[in-house]
Amino acid sequence: MKLIELTFITFLAALFLTALKDSEQDKSQINIKTDQTMEQDIKFLRIAIDMAKESKQKGNLPYGCILVSKDGTVLLKGENTINTDHDCLAHAEINLIREACKTYDHEFLKTCTIYTSDEPCPMCSSAIYWSGLGKLTYGLSKDEYYNVVGRGNSDWVFEISAREVLESGKRKVEVTGPFLESEVAELHTR
């Protein structure tokens, strides 16, 4: 009887060690994927930041964004044009989403990511939701933005986070950020 018990205990220990080893391999795969995803997100955010720089050079506010397919192709670029278009709704995200919806269907957009230089305002967050976009990744957070530019002008302060807006909808939109905040904040201080 003791031999059977000992064999059973040995079997359970071997099973446990095998499961533990597999679990460690799974964790290392997750870390590799996370690192690769982070590198890709940073690369695409820098393109969105470049769009914000272009917008500022043209006399508009420094906001930019890009639309990226699930295979990593940059499909569209958007920049803020509120001053040059004399249109208070011409935010970078709205400009991009208008073009995206003319070109791609709702199901395709669910597989895409919008990268924005700054955390989108409530209007743009709602447009992200209604367009069907599946993921948002942003640079400068709303909190840090207001720390940089201040909250003195009540006409321009609307402190509802993109996450809060997007979590209010029934469809899930993945949100990641903030990233590269100090890099983006420089655009709002110069």
Side-chain angles (χ1 to χ4, degrees), residues 115-129:
Y115 289 87
T116 63
S117 59
D118 296 63
E119 182 176 359
C121 73
M123 174 183 71
C124 292
S125 297
S126 296
I128 288 168
Y129 181 83

Side-chain angles (χ1 to χ4, degrees), residues 64-109:
C65 60
I66 61 170
L67 180 67
V68 178
S69 68
K70 68 180 175 183
D71 71 0
T73 303
V74 176
L75 302 171
L76 293 169
K77 296 179 180 182
E79 63 184 76
N80 180 287
T81 59
I82 67 166
N83 291 332
T84 53
D85 287 352
H86 305 287
D87 179 356
C88 66
L89 302 180
H91 292 201
E93 298 91 337
I94 296 295
N95 291 338
L96 180 138
I97 289 168
R98 283 181 177 146
E99 288 305 310
C101 290
K102 292 175 188 174
T103 309
Y104 305 105
D105 67 30
H106 195 263
E107 289 304 308
F108 177 75
L109 291 174

Side-chain angles (χ1 to χ4, degrees), residues 144-178:
E144 190 57 30
Y145 170 80
Y146 286 120
N147 288 339
V148 171
V149 303
R151 291 173 170 83
N153 184 343
S154 62
D155 290 338
W156 301 109
V157 178
F158 200 163
E159 296 189 68
I160 300 175
S161 74
R163 273 188 180 83
E164 187 177 345
V165 171
L166 293 168
E167 287 172 356
S168 297
K170 194 163 187 161
R171 181 176 66 81
K172 182 179 177 349
V173 178
E174 183 180 351
V175 179
T176 58

